[in-house]
Amino acid sequence: MTALALRTVTRRFGQTRAVDGVSLEVDPGEFICLLGPSGCGKSTALRMIAGFETPDDGDILIDGASMLGVPPNRRPTSMVFQSHALWSHMTVAGNIGFGLKLRRLPAREVTDKVAAALELVGLAGFEKRYPAQLSGGQQQRVALARSLVLQPKILLLDEPFSSLDAHLRLRLRDELKAIQRRLGLTTIFVTHDQEEAMALANRIVVMNRGAVEQIAAPGTLYDRP
Ligand code: ADP
Ligand code: ADP
């Protein structure tokens, strides 16, 4: 079954068609990159999948069920943002476990799931640290763990590595790809960096002015004339 479907989704802001009739079908376990210049509608598309924005037209389906009217915390999605946005007054464990506590999981289970998520991102044993005690790369790994711990059906990432230096960006890219493969996780990754999209994606969705310009496997992407 299709993991995620966008059906002629449109979102306007005043006169701007931020997303203009976008359709897309994503298979389970696929790694999709939304690629395009700043302002082409990538983030708005991602935010509609997460439920932070509402389409003016069209529908978004996850595992065949319409997400219209479903609030973000009831969708089987989880989002990793560009700046890690960790809560500075909470420990690493507090940050990662927060969403599980909201779901009223028993403390023991929260502890175990937090430890497993930290292990997945290579930060086993970091529970008691505070964000300020971590490097930028470690903070972004914690942000990834905070999303993974919710066991989303679809992982959403909005330029998650763009605040990191080039070397770290390449490392985290490899780590993310390895985790995604291991979990078989359906992933939508927003970037304006073609090289990053080529390295990560099974399919690249090239957007321009709110519309899909082409959908291609990384090897077959053609440049705009
Ligand atoms: P991208 O992620 O590709 O940079 P965005 O989805 O952020 O593009 O933006 C697409 C278009 O929608 C841009 O023209 C942007 O200025 C506009 N836009 C996005 N969010 C808002 C908003 N909340 N209010 C008004 N305009 C917005
Ligand atoms: P409410 O508090 O609105 O009455 P319930 O506690 O009855 O909702 O929960 C309904 C379902 O939604 C349960 O399966 C519960 O696990 C789940 N749920 C509740 N809160 C959240 C949340 N913040 N995020 C995800 N799922 C939640």
Side-chain angles (χ1 to χ4, degrees):
M1 197 205 276
T2 305
L4 170 69
L6 273 61
R7 295 204 179 138
T8 58
V9 171
T10 293
R11 172 66 173 162
R12 301 178 200 90
F13 295 107
Q15 296 300 311
T16 308
R17 285 171 177 267
V19 173
D20 192 3
V22 166
S23 292
L24 175 67
E25 298 217 336
V26 180
D27 288 330
E30 254 196 306
F31 196 125
I32 297 285
C33 281
L34 300 183
L35 173 69
S38 177
C40 74
K42 308 181 296 294
S43 288
T44 302
L46 199 72
R47 293 169 59 78
M48 286 193 284
I49 298 167
F52 301 134
E53 292 281 355
T54 308
D56 294 308
D57 274 306
D59 199 356
I60 294 171
L61 300 95
I62 296 178
D63 286 346
S66 173
M67 291 294 116
L68 296 185
V70 179
N73 64 351
R74 297 296 171 87
R75 296 190 184 197
T77 55
S78 186
M79 177 102 107
V80 180
F81 297 93
Q82 176 173 345
S83 57
H84 16 77
L86 300 176
W87 295 294
S88 58
H89 63 287
M90 277 187 204
T91 62
V92 164
N95 270 279
I96 298 173
F98 188 78
L100 298 176
K101 286 181 185 156
L102 280 185
R103 294 179 188 190
R104 302 189 192 102
L105 247 71
R108 179 77 240 168
E109 255 180 79
V110 173
T111 305
D112 289 350
K113 283 177 185 276
V114 167
L118 276 172
E119 174 130 27
L120 207 50
V121 299
L123 290 178
F126 275 62
E127 279 90 342
K128 292 197 158 54
R129 310 268 188 110
Y130 282 86
Q133 298 172 304
L134 304 177
S135 71
Q138 290 171 337
Q139 289 183 25
Q140 204 50 309
R141 289 186 184 92
V142 171
L144 179 59
R146 186 172 59 178
S147 280
L148 293 173
V149 83
L150 300 173
Q151 295 181 275
K153 283 185 181 158
I154 302 176
L155 181 66
L156 307 171
L157 306 103
D158 194 351
E159 309 242 11
F161 306 143
S162 56
S163 64
L164 305 174
D165 69 52
H167 175 72
L168 204 49
R169 205 152 57 221
L170 293 184
R171 258 184 62 187
L172 282 182
R173 181 194 287 180
D174 288 347
E175 289 176 19
L176 171 67
K177 188 69 193 175
I179 290 167
Q180 182 269 338
R181 281 220 182 94
R182 189 165 143 199
L183 301 178
L185 190 56
T186 310
T187 302
I188 315 291
F189 186 106
V190 160
T191 181
H192 62 267
D193 179 346
Q194 178 163 334
E195 201 242 322
E196 186 168 58
M198 305 263 271
L200 282 170
N202 300 116
R203 283 191 300 155
I204 299 174
V205 176
V206 181
M207 290 184 66
N208 189 28
R209 295 165 184 261
V212 172
E213 194 168 70
Q214 58 169 319
I215 302 180
T220 64
L221 199 67
Y222 59 81
D223 284 328
R224 270 197 301 282

